[in-house]
Amino acid sequence: MKALVLKRYGGAKHVEFADLPRPTIRPDEILVQVHAAGLNPIDNVIPTGSFKPIIKLQLPATMGSDLAGVVVEVGSRVTRFKVGDAVFASTFDLGVGALAEYAAVPEHAAALKPENLDFVQAASVPMVGLTSWQALAERAKVQPGQKVLIPAGAGGIGSFAIQLAKLLGAKVATTTSTPNVQFVRQLGADEVVDYKKQQFEELLRDYDVVLGTLRGGELEKSLQVVRPGSSIVSLIGPPDAAFAQKRGMNFLMKFVFSLLSRKIIRMAKKRGANYSFLFVRPDGERLAKIGEHLAASRLHPVVDKVFPFAQAKEGLAYLGQGRAKGKVVVQLVKPVAES
Ligand SMILES: NC(=O)c1ccc[n+]([C@@H]2O[C@H](COP(=O)([O-])OP(=O)(O)OC[C@H]3O[C@@H](n4cnc5c(N)ncnc54)[C@H](OP(=O)(O)O)[C@@H]3O)[C@@H](O)[C@H]2O)c1
């Protein structure tokens, strides 16, 4: 089968198409014919090697971690799926790549695809849906009426997290560039700061929750808008000691991460805020719950661009420009009507 693989660390030049054997499945796995695979910024970071201490990959490794497709084989211990089911899944950090014609997906990572979504739309959801849920609902425990700041509202995470925060009953502020102001309003943002014209830290006050989505000092600035007792949940780091502990990392890594996060934790404490780093984990049951909201049109997938499989590298390069408006998805199987 055809797959997009990372041959060795050192950047995008080591990402190539390869012919691999079709994966064989274990008793607790399903074999999925991948119809579409969603791209995420981490797919551009992994090839650089900078995540080596955190994500252990056996190279060559198939790229990607968000997929939607059809079950073509089930393992002997699988109970929730049968051949022919349309599913979607995040295989992030499970050593299973999505940018391949077939993927062996652990049953616990998959959920039935909402029927109202096509494969491209479904493949756009897992990483951003699970991350938003784990950050806002589980970690920050967002309550109705709370004020939530979601910077970079037009991106993959932002376009989903704004919708989820609204679903949880929050008042949502976001930041974006001038051309995307209307777009993020339509997603549900109550306060929109056009960062080309205004500084969000001069306009917003008393926020209960901040989602850390942007590097370059934005996290530190966001501390100026929070109230005592607030939660700062960062997706972009720095990782903290609790994260190292959860991943069973050794003493040295715990020490390194506590050093890296010391400054932001101290700054947050001064404001009475709690800082934590979140690293998304696959969760088929939660994805099924998100799927229910999608099926009922309480949440909507936001797809910016679709690339055919042969142009997956161009898709990664487009995402890497950091201007995506929603999600970038690679299509491996065209629907019959379009083919
Ligand atoms: N820790 C985890 O488990 C986890 C999970 C998922 C994602 N992440 C991380 O979260 C970050 C966001 O991911 P993503 O998928 O949303 O990325 P993305 O889709 O590539 O984000 C692109 C968006 O960022 C916006 N943007 C860029 N600079 C901005 C600025 N200064 N102010 C406001 N908006 C700005 C752009 O909007 P404009 O064109 O309007 O500027 C664009 O819409 C990435 O670093 C990713 O790796 C972490």
Side-chain angles (χ1 to χ4, degrees):
M1 66 165 188
K2 198 170 163 189
L4 189 70
V5 301
L6 173 63
K7 298 240 156 127
R8 60 176 185 276
Y9 292 114
K13 61 181 183 292
H14 300 301
V15 175
E16 291 170 22
F17 283 102
D19 258 318
L20 300 182
R22 203 196 262 206
T24 51
I25 52 170
R26 290 198 283 252
D28 60 349
E29 290 178 338
I30 53 179
L31 186 67
V32 177
Q33 183 188 12
V34 180
H35 285 228
L39 303 182
N40 292 288
I42 189 80
D43 299 325
N44 280 319
V45 179
I46 286 174
T48 66
S50 62
F51 259 74
K52 259 197 287 186
I54 298 177
I55 299 177
K56 305 282 176 215
L57 279 181
Q58 225 178 336
L59 300 186
T62 299
M63 302 274 299
S65 63
D66 275 350
L67 62 85
V70 174
V71 177
V72 292
E73 208 183 315
V74 294
S76 56
R77 289 214 300 268
V78 169
T79 57
R80 287 165 49 229
F81 304 104
K82 58 181 189 315
V83 169
D85 281 346
V87 294
F88 67 149
S90 163
T91 59
F92 183 64
D93 203 19
L94 296 177
V96 178
L99 283 159
E101 287 172 296
Y102 294 88
V105 179
E107 179 180 26
H108 69 79
L112 289 174
K113 176 180 81 63
E115 278 179 15
N116 59 330
L117 265 53
D118 61 28
F119 288 103
V120 163
Q121 291 171 321
S124 76
V125 169
M127 166 79 85
V128 295
L130 290 169
T131 305
S132 302
W133 183 269
Q134 288 163 17
L136 298 177
E138 288 178 9
R139 181 73 62 86
K141 298 189 172 49
V142 169
Q143 300 297 315
Q146 282 193 320
K147 289 163 72 171
V148 178
L149 169 59
I150 299 171
I157 287 285
S159 59
F160 201 92
I162 289 174
Q163 298 184 60
L164 181 63
K166 290 301 295 175
L167 191 63
L168 296 171
K171 289 202 169 68
V172 178
T174 192
T175 58
T176 197
S177 62
T178 316
N180 291 334
V181 167
Q182 204 47 33
F183 172 64
V184 296
R185 276 202 198 289
Q186 278 160 5
L187 292 168
D190 302 290
E191 291 278 344
V192 180
V193 180
D194 175 347
Y195 70 83
K196 298 280 186 192
K197 298 180 180 157
Q198 294 166 307
Q199 305 286 322
F200 76 88
E201 66 274 22
E202 289 170 6
L203 299 171
L204 309 177
R205 282 293 165 267
D206 296 331
Y207 274 72
D208 298 284
V209 176
V210 174
L211 191 62
T213 54
L214 284 171
R215 293 192 172 76
E218 297 291 304
L219 209 51
E220 288 79 1
K221 278 191 223 160
S222 71
L223 292 175
Q224 296 174 38
V225 313
V226 297
R227 63 161 192 79
S230 55
S231 292
I232 319 291
V233 183
S234 174
L235 307 179
I236 43 106
D240 51 15
F243 165 70
Q245 174 83 28
K246 233 177 261 162
R247 282 183 82 78
M249 289 174 153
N250 62 27
F251 172 77
L252 182 67
M253 291 308 287
K254 270 185 230 165
F255 179 67
V256 169
F257 287 167
S258 61
L259 275 187
L260 287 174
S261 56
R262 199 168 55 174
K263 185 173 162 216
I264 188 80
I265 289 174
R266 206 174 41 217
M267 288 173 74
K269 266 197 186 137
K270 270 195 189 155
R271 303 283 310 187
N274 177 61
Y275 170 87
S276 68
F277 172 68
L278 183 120
F279 200 58
V280 68
R281 52 170 208 289
D283 180 347
E285 281 183 28
R286 175 49 56 196
L287 195 55
K289 296 275 181 210
I290 292 169
E292 286 171 19
H293 289 302
L294 289 159
S297 297
R298 290 187 288 267
L299 294 170
H300 304 274
V302 184
V303 176
D304 174 2
K305 260 185 191 285
V306 183
F307 289 82
F309 192 23
Q311 286 170 26
K313 286 194 73 171
E314 285 81 349
L316 285 166
Y318 173 75
L319 178 67
Q321 291 164 12
R323 296 270 84 85
K325 210 171 144 182
K327 295 290 300 174
V328 181
V329 180
V330 170
Q331 189 171 45
L332 290 93
V333 177
K334 274 201 167 189
V336 181
E338 288 176 33
S339 54

